[in-house]
Amino acid sequence: MELSLKNPLIFFDLETTGINIAKDRIVELSYLKVYPNGKEENKTYRINPEMPIPAYATAIHGISDADVIHAPTFKEIAKNLVKNMEGCDLAGYNSNRFDIPLLAEEFLRAGIDLDFRKRKFVDVQTIFHKMEQRTLAAAYKFYCDKDLDHAHTAEADTKATYEVLKSQLDRYPELKNDIVFLSNYSSFTRNADFAGRIVYDDKDREMFNFGKYKNRLVTDVLKEDPGYYGWIMQGDFTLDTKKVLTNIKLRDFNK
């Protein structure tokens, strides 16, 4: 089934130096941009992460320091990426929990505050896990009856994710061919920040989702324990989490 799109949809995948959203960096980014008329275009970037690539990461995706030593940094390609992503929704495999938060961090480090929250996100892994509980390679075999060659290369994983989503729509009549529906269906939680440290309750109020103040309203915690804000701002939290927390603090201060 072909996708029913109102906006272009970008399928993308990242290969990185690790899985720490706050500290790790992108070494490869590949995207497949699908237009409402069915036109497709793809692009793959090798990126210099400006830090050593650990051996365990190279063992997974095959990209070493030597492979990216002359590649552009993320900051050098950031403006072009923003231009290509303008007006697009985003899709990926485990993208809501990893790729989108890490990509948002890279843009913030590059000095670009791109408001991802205006976009719709479709996480093909979440749809797959709700339906079948498998990995991407198994999903590709199950839905498309193909073996996933060159797994853990950004381009192969990106294209496989696109094919899996189309096959999911063919297989499950209860899935609507609508990006708003798929975005809502593939979301587990209502995050205020991409890392899920702050979430919304059923009244759209921000709550902490970790630590000693888990399930407490952010506004209440900031009033009762003002030092908690400073602890987070100095801690090993993502720039996006710190930005969201600061916005809440300023919003309440202006009230």
Side-chain angles (χ1 to χ4, degrees), residues 55-111:
Y56 66 81
T58 298
I60 294 172
H61 50 55
I63 302 172
S64 66
D65 293 334
D67 294 323
V68 295
I69 189 170
H70 298 301
T73 65
F74 186 86
K75 187 173 184 178
E76 290 173 330
I77 68 169
K79 289 184 178 179
N80 192 46
L81 281 175
V82 170
K83 181 180 178 181
N84 289 332
M85 290 181 171
E86 185 175 358
C88 299
D89 296 318
L90 301 174
Y93 196 87
N94 194 33
S95 49
N96 284 358
R97 294 184 176 183
F98 182 71
D99 299 82
I100 288 173
L102 183 55
L103 184 61
E105 282 296 292
E106 288 280 31
F107 276 120
L108 287 172
R109 280 191 286 264

Side-chain angles (χ1 to χ4, degrees), residues 226-243:
Y228 200 61
Y229 171 81
W231 176 75
I232 291 178
M233 297 305 289
Q234 296 299 318
D236 185 20
F237 294 90
T238 67
L239 295 175
D240 179 64
T241 298
K242 294 175 181 179
K243 183 184 75 170

Side-chain angles (χ1 to χ4, degrees), residues 10-13 28-33 40-46 72 77 80-81 84 154-156 158-159:
I10 290 181
F11 291 82
F12 78 102
D13 185 70
E28 186 174 72
L29 182 154
S30 185
Y31 70 80
L32 173 64
K33 188 173 183 179
E40 301 174 10
E41 61 184 42
N42 65 282
K43 177 74 175 179
T44 300
Y45 294 94
R46 283 283 174 90
I77 68 169
N80 192 46
L81 281 175
N84 289 332
E155 184 171 351
T158 296
K159 291 180 178 178

Side-chain angles (χ1 to χ4, degrees), residues 106-117:
E106 288 280 31
F107 276 120
L108 287 172
R109 280 191 286 264
I112 298 175
D113 188 3
L114 182 61
D115 190 358
F116 279 102
R117 291 170 181 84

